[in-house]
Amino acid sequence: MIIGSAASGERERVAGMKRSAGATALLATAVLAAACGPSGPTGGESTTQPPASLPSGALASRIGEHGWNRDRLRAALGRRAGTTHTALPTPLNSRVGAVFTHAADGDHFCTASVVGSPARNLIVTAAHCLVDPGIGTSRTDLVFVPGYRSGDAPSGVWPLGTVTVDPSWRTRGNQDLDVAFATVQPQNGRQVQQVLGANRLGTNRGYTLPVKVTGYPSSSDEPITCTNTTVQQSPTQLRIDCPDYTGGTSGSPWVTELDPSTHTGTVVGVIGGYQRGGDTADISYSSYFGDRVQMLYMQASQAS
């Protein structure tokens, strides 16, 4: 999402009309209400509840009376993809954190996440969070607070160190390489990856991927999350439709290939790129992670 000059330390802002969230979830809830009758779910049901199991027997027959068969009901429930809710404090979400100015009691204006590296001290975010193009200098007054929630820093406060961005971003703000890697300093003799684990970096994975996007709006002290399938915005950009991703969510990781047994996934994008992530809250973009992002990652890993 769009931010002002990184050198000035302004918080992110989002331009354009903010559209109503949750229309998709309301549709799914209405379908369940029609299927289950007066005693079933109502329009006031939380969209964060897990999808109901598909009914059978007499209830399935009642669905048929309303014109709903099992396939149609399954499709309607599947439309809940693209809804946004508060992210739970899970091991996977604990690797996502807010980026603050100076300390955790300052303003958080971007999001970052831990990615695996040989030195176990690397995070990934959007380049526009860390380097103001044209001026080209990296910010040195920032901290990463993974798992931040309601004023608590459960996994510590990690000052940023070396920042790696593509020269084309540093000189002219190339939106196709709005990606940054940064090292974070060790705390109590341990690196961030030793404390939290890390997701893998994925490059050249294609344009259509199911991903989970988790980030920190500046207006909230809790992270939000949304799962949907990416589409190709252009050969160098990805797009995802998820509501409520306002200022502060730049740098939010797009994680695919989730493994529930290891609580790990693969980061294939971050909110950024076109329009610095998007000028509405409902549509977000990412620079495509291709060969040049892989080169950036290797450079950052060697520098750490």
Side-chain angles (χ1 to χ4, degrees):
M1 302 305 169
I2 298 173
I3 66 168
S5 168
S8 69
E10 293 182 29
R11 295 174 63 179
E12 287 191 316
R13 61 181 179 83
V14 173
M17 181 68 69
K18 306 297 187 293
R19 285 176 281 177
S20 175
T24 301
L26 288 176
L27 171 61
T29 303
V31 171
L32 286 173
C36 298
S39 61
T42 68
E45 185 181 44
S46 169
T47 62
T48 63
Q49 296 298 316
S53 59
L54 292 177
S56 59
L59 185 54
S61 299
R62 288 182 57 198
I63 292 174
E65 292 173 4
H66 289 282
W68 291 92
N69 58 33
R70 292 175 67 85
D71 290 339
R72 189 178 178 191
L73 179 58
R74 182 181 287 109
L77 291 172
R79 295 190 191 111
R80 295 181 70 177
T83 60
T84 299
H85 55 86
T86 300
L88 298 175
T90 65
L92 185 68
N93 292 338
S94 72
R95 297 179 196 126
V96 181
V99 178
F100 285 80
T101 55
H102 305 295
D105 59 354
D107 289 333
H108 62 87
F109 65 95
C110 270
T111 301
S113 65
V114 184
V115 288
S117 67
R120 297 181 286 189
N121 64 349
L122 205 61
I123 62 173
V124 64
T125 186
H128 72 258
C129 293
L130 305 184
V131 177
D132 190 24
I135 298 175
T137 55
S138 304
R139 298 192 61 178
T140 59
D141 60 342
L142 304 179
V143 295
F144 171 62
V145 187
Y148 174 78
R149 196 175 293 265
S150 301
D152 292 330
S155 301
V157 176
W158 305 76
L160 271 60
T162 303
V163 172
T164 303
V165 298
D166 191 85
S168 67
W169 173 268
R170 196 176 293 275
T171 58
R172 56 185 175 84
N174 179 5
Q175 67 179 8
D176 294 333
L177 286 163
D178 189 2
V179 183
F181 296 94
T183 61
V184 294
Q185 299 173 20
Q187 299 294 302
N188 300 317
R190 303 184 73 193
Q191 301 290 357
V192 68
Q193 186 175 332
Q194 291 177 290
V195 175
L196 297 172
N199 293 317
R200 300 170 295 274
L201 183 78
T203 56
N204 294 308
R205 298 299 179 94
Y207 299 96
T208 306
L209 297 166
V211 302
K212 177 180 180 180
V213 182
T214 305
Y216 284 83
S218 295
S219 59
S220 174
D221 276 345
E222 292 186 320
I224 59 174
T225 194
C226 172
T227 301
N228 210 342
T229 300
T230 64
V231 297
Q232 179 178 348
Q233 171 70 12
S234 73
T236 55
Q237 300 282 330
L238 296 177
R239 164 181 162 161
I240 193 168
D241 293 357
C242 280
D244 301 331
Y245 280 76
T246 56
T249 59
S250 282
S252 299
W254 299 22
V255 183
T256 192
E257 298 174 359
L258 299 172
D259 185 338
S261 64
T262 62
H263 306 291
T264 60
T266 301
V267 180
V268 293
V270 295
I271 291 183
Y274 179 60
Q275 297 175 340
R276 295 198 178 184
D279 62 5
T280 74
D282 293 349
I283 299 172
S284 298
Y285 303 96
S286 170
S287 303
Y288 181 73
F289 279 21
D291 292 342
R292 291 180 71 176
V293 172
Q294 178 66 31
M295 291 175 61
L296 275 183
Y297 168 75
M298 294 175 63
Q299 179 184 344
S301 296
Q302 293 166 0
S304 65

